[in-house]
Each structure stands twice: as structure tokens, then as C-alpha cells.
Amino acid sequence: MSNSFRSQEILQKNKRYIPGGIVSTNRTVEPSLVFSRAQGASLWDVDGKKYIDYHAAFGPYILGHNDEDVNLAVVKVLQSGSSLFGSGTNELEGELAELICQSIPCVDSIQLLNTGSEATYQAIRLARAQTGKDHIVKPQGGYHGWHNDVAMNLMTPLDKMGPYVSPGEYPSAPISAGIPAEHASLVHAVNYNDLASVEWVCQQYPVGAMILEPILQNIGVVKPMPGYLEGLRALADRFGFLLIFDEVKTGFRHALGGYAAVANVSPDLVVYGKAVANGFPLAVLGGKREYMDLFVAPDPAHRVLLAGTYNGHPVPVAAAIATIRKLAQNNGEIYSRLDALGVRMEEGLARIFSQQGITASVVRQCSAFSCYFMEGRPRNWHELVSQHDFALDLAWRRQLVERGIYFLPLPVKQCSLSAAHTVQDVDYTLEQAAEALAAVRQPVM
Ligand code: PMP
């Protein structure tokens, strides 16, 4: 495997002052390439080697890297004398709020934050304040950020999960040290696509919220079965918990109205990040007015604290306005284009697996796709972790990276197309995908 010399040199140097040498430790992969430039659908490493990018920095780049309209909006706001005033409101944040609320049917009003983790934190706090109930349900295999309320039960190893559970919950499996046991005991992980388990948890504990990615996109692309999201809506109404859609990955990627609009299910609260500002750091918490208004409840005992020095910084706000306006052009025709590219990729990959006699399925939603080396499509993490060929997945991705196709070299990570990808990019990727697969399947001499 090629670990470029210069990349290695930079990593070793950075280890002196950064633990592990890398900021944000989930960026640690092998090969550990150092990238220095990106444009559109392409990345270049420090040796000048070019890659077609399907990682999209964990998802934000729906328009591609360095989009000129987004860049222009950012430059304009910097040159305008706008700044972070930290006092009162301003026209820019009002413009973005109006744009988002008009684009997304389930959102009456919004607040702005910097990261998805901050936004899910605030959503859960709102739900607890509203319902007076502290327990939370989340799907096993969902990711909602790094904080104590949610940093658990993501890619839990099979031996820590035990046998398939339904109805019921999986053992608590924090993904970080330092989470107090009291916090973990308030979070209940259930199979995705399993309504009976949500009902079971609600019968055992006072549940204030269920938070979920409407499509599990931190373990590839695991889709809701017909009736699942509607069933959760009905359970929320029946048991009196708030339904929170974490659309940090799905929002603005699959449709302007998010996956809630695609599925036609209304959550109580919803969180966006990533694609909303095409790579600039912004997150949005939105939802029904009666819950959002808890941030300004007249009675301080019921008011939820929302404060952040950098919330609504004009640079990401300008980037988001430009991104959403571009996504909305011509009635959102960009999404049809992304879907067509996605179909071409999905069909091409499925053909390759079939031609090479590999048991696999390709799961896709618009521009996001993932390949599973197993029989059928996974319905939840338990099925995935017990059946997917992780070793083949990783070996294939590393071969692809060698060949200039950047699928993040970690198993079951979602791949993302952007509006900057072309049909030629997809066709070239498919050629390389076929050769890479044949190469990793050759017996070792
Ligand atoms: N929710 C989901 C669905 C995510 O994918 C992520 C990040 N991968 C987060 C929340 C947290 O967002 P951030 O990394 O911006 O804190």
C-alpha cells in the first residue's frame, strides 16, 4: 500500500504537538495521506497525486469542493465590513432562517449552531425540558455527535451486543471513555427498523425523546423500511416523547426539505449540518414553534439556555445562503442530476459484483451510496455486523485509493457524489472499481 513519503513525513512531524498527529481522531485512516488541495470532485495529495473524491469530508460537499458561488458569497461578506457583532440580530441570519423555513415543511423556526453535535445536544435538551422526561431512545448504529447523551452504540462489536434483541434494548456501549454511567443509563439503543423495541423501551422508562438519522448514514446507507418512520411518529404521539430527526447527513443531500420531506413524516425537532453550508461550519436546529419557543420561555424555570460566541457567524451563514439558493435553482434540478449519477454508479457497481460472482448489495439514496458484501441489504447494525465481509470491504477501498479513487479507507463508510462529479468520473470510477475488486480477490502468491 502506498503511504506517500511526504505524507508520512508530515504525519510524523505533527505527532510532536498533536496527539496521534491528526486533528479530530476519527480522521485516522490507513493509508494516511495528507491532502493539500481540492477542487470540484477532485483531491490532490502533497505528492501531487489526484483522486476522485467520494468521501466529501464526511459529507458536506454536495456542490463539490471550492464551489465558486459559495466562495463568492463568503468573500463578499468579508469585504462588506460584516463581522461577528455578538449583540442583537442581523439581516443575514434572518435571511437564512427565512430560506430554511420556506424550504422545509416541518420547520417553523430555527436556531444556528456551529456543529452537528451542538445541535443534537440542544435538541435533546429541548425535548427533556418540554416533556420533563430524561430517557432517550436511539438506534444501534446511529451517530449523533460526541457528547454524553449520544456517544454510544455506534459500530458496536458483535461480542459486546450479544444475540439479536427484539423487543428490547442492547447493552450500553459508550464510544468514549469518560461518560458517566448515570448518563449512559438514560440512553437506550434499539434495532433500527424495529418499532416493537421502541414501544418496549417506552413501557419500561419515561422516554422524552427518540433521536435518529432517518437513514442510518454512519454505517453506510441503511434505509427505513416502509412504515418505520410513520410508526415512530405514532409512537411519539402515543407515549408523549419528541421525535428528533438528525438530518446532519441526510438534510440538503437528498432533497431541499430533507429526508423528512422525502418520507413525508414530520419530526418535532430536526437537526441539519454538513451539506447546509457546503463545507463551512454551520448547524441548524429547527422544528415546531411551540418547542423552539422554549429558548425564549417567559418563565426562566422553563427556558432552555442557548448561547454560543460563534453561533450565526457571518461566514458560514453567507455560505449556507449561497448553498441553499444554488440547490433550489430551477426547482431543485440539481437533485435529479445527482440522482441520475447515483443510478449510474449503483447499477454499474451491482453489475461488477454480479460479473465477478461476489455476493453484495449496493444501497443508495440520491447521491449517497454504500456497498455491503453480504446477502441482501442490512436492515440494522446487528445484521450488518454479523454478515458483512469487513475485510473485503477494507481491502477493496484501499485498492481504490491506490488507483486514485478516494472511498474513505474504512469499512461501511458512506460514499457521496457531488454536483461537481461527471458521468466520466463515474465511468472511470467503475472501471477502477472492477479492476480493484479483481486485484484484491486474487490469491496471495
Ligand atoms: N449527526 C450525524 C448524523 C452525523 O453524521 C454527525 C457527524 N458525522 C453528527 C451528528 C455530528 O456532527 P459534527 O461532527 O458536526 O459535530
Side-chain angles (χ1 to χ4, degrees):
M1 192 194 326
S2 76
N3 244 335
S4 88
F5 179 73
R6 280 210 64 208
S7 291
Q8 280 311 302
E9 210 177 38
I10 292 168
L11 178 63
Q12 292 316 318
K13 179 167 170 270
N14 288 0
K15 279 184 178 170
R16 173 108 168 73
Y17 297 112
I18 302 171
I22 297 174
V23 162
S24 197
T25 53
N26 69 340
R27 295 179 192 162
T28 307
V29 293
E30 195 57 45
S32 50
L33 297 170
V34 172
F35 295 106
S36 55
R37 194 161 77 82
Q39 184 60 51
S42 303
L43 298 175
W44 286 264
D45 69 18
V46 281
D47 290 318
K49 181 172 170 182
K50 184 178 170 186
Y51 303 79
I52 303 178
D53 181 26
Y54 292 93
H55 175 43
F58 284 107
Y61 288 102
I62 183 85
L63 300 173
H65 293 272
N66 261 317
D67 180 81
E68 69 175 2
D69 295 314
V70 176
N71 285 357
L72 217 73
V74 165
V75 169
K76 208 166 138 196
V77 81
L78 288 172
Q79 287 176 342
S80 72
S82 176
S83 184
L84 180 68
F85 302 115
S87 173
T89 190
N90 56 66
E91 288 187 303
L92 209 58
E93 65 190 30
E95 186 182 340
L96 177 59
E98 187 176 351
L99 201 52
I100 292 174
C101 294
Q102 287 179 351
S103 306
I104 308 175
C106 65
V107 172
D108 296 332
S109 62
I110 62 142
Q111 280 287 356
L112 299 176
L113 304 104
N114 305 291
T115 67
S117 300
E118 290 169 64
T120 59
Y121 188 98
Q122 288 292 352
I124 288 169
R125 198 185 243 179
L126 269 190
R128 285 175 166 154
Q130 170 67 25
T131 62
K133 298 188 280 186
D134 289 342
H135 288 252
I136 298 163
V137 187
K138 77 172 281 285
Q140 171 71 53
Y143 181 68
H144 308 290
W146 42 255
H147 55 87
N148 287 350
D149 286 328
V150 288
M152 50 201 66
N153 295 81
L154 176 55
M155 298 173 81
T156 313
L158 197 53
D159 60 353
K160 292 235 163 52
M161 297 180 74
Y164 190 91
V165 169
S166 178
E169 61 178 307
Y170 285 106
S172 180
I175 55 174
S176 170
I179 297 181
E182 290 78 2
H183 264 274
S185 70
L186 295 173
V187 184
H188 307 278
V190 297
N191 282 319
Y192 179 74
N193 274 323
D194 175 6
L195 292 170
S197 287
V198 178
E199 185 173 358
W200 183 90
V201 171
C202 289
Q203 283 159 352
Q204 319 295 315
Y205 311 95
V207 171
M210 175 161 183
I211 184 164
L212 79 156
E213 300 173 71
I215 299 177
L216 295 187
Q217 284 186 211
N218 278 278
I219 52 169
V221 179
V222 176
K223 290 202 192 190
M225 285 159 62
Y228 178 59
L229 298 176
E230 292 84 346
L232 291 179
R233 179 65 271 167
L235 286 173
D237 296 338
R238 181 170 142 213
F239 286 99
F241 64 80
L242 296 203
L243 184 61
I244 304 170
F245 277 5
D246 178 347
E247 295 227 39
V248 167
K249 276 203 151 170
T250 53
F252 297 91
R253 180 158 280 284
H254 305 320
L256 211 50
Y259 195 71
V262 176
N264 195 23
V265 173
S266 275
D268 298 299
L269 295 172
V270 61
V271 170
Y272 305 94
K274 303 205 191 234
V276 67
N278 201 57
F280 285 87
L282 187 85
V284 179
L285 165 59
K288 297 187 176 157
R289 189 173 304 283
E290 63 178 301
Y291 309 133
M292 293 298 292
D293 278 353
L294 283 172
F295 287 126
V296 288
D299 176 359
H302 291 118
R303 196 179 306 147
V304 174
L305 172 67
L306 185 74
T309 303
Y310 292 112
N311 292 1
H313 189 284
V315 166
V317 169
I321 292 170
T323 302
I324 298 174
R325 288 207 190 289
K326 198 158 178 178
L327 291 172
Q329 273 168 11
N330 306 324
N331 274 330
E333 71 79 37
I334 223 168
Y335 290 105
S336 328
R337 201 144 49 80
L338 285 167
D339 197 52
L341 282 178
V343 169
R344 196 174 183 94
M345 182 66 87
E346 177 184 352
E347 291 179 352
L349 288 169
R351 202 164 42 241
I352 290 165
F353 296 140
S354 148
Q355 280 165 353
Q356 298 198 22
I358 304 250
T359 304
S361 57
V362 187
V363 187
R364 178 187 68 86
Q365 179 71 36
C366 198
S367 58
F369 63 95
S370 198
C371 302
Y372 297 104
F373 297 106
M374 59 186 277
E375 201 75 61
R377 300 166 159 224
R379 287 172 298 180
N380 54 54
W381 172 249
H382 199 286
E383 280 186 3
L384 201 172
V385 71
S386 44
Q387 295 174 40
H388 176 66
D389 187 340
F390 283 76
L392 176 58
D393 190 354
L394 182 58
W396 182 52
R397 285 167 183 262
R398 285 180 172 161
Q399 257 302 317
L400 281 167
V401 173
E402 284 275 321
R403 292 161 183 271
I405 307 296
Y406 202 76
F407 281 26
L408 187 70
L410 279 184
V412 303
K413 285 294 164 200
Q414 173 203 315
C415 295
S416 305
L417 287 150
S418 75
H421 285 82
T422 62
V423 166
Q424 289 73 24
D425 289 331
V426 171
D427 290 349
Y428 179 73
T429 300
L430 290 169
E431 268 170 42
Q432 296 305 314
E435 287 180 20
L437 196 59
V440 293
R441 292 183 69 224
Q442 267 168 14
V444 182
M445 303 305 269

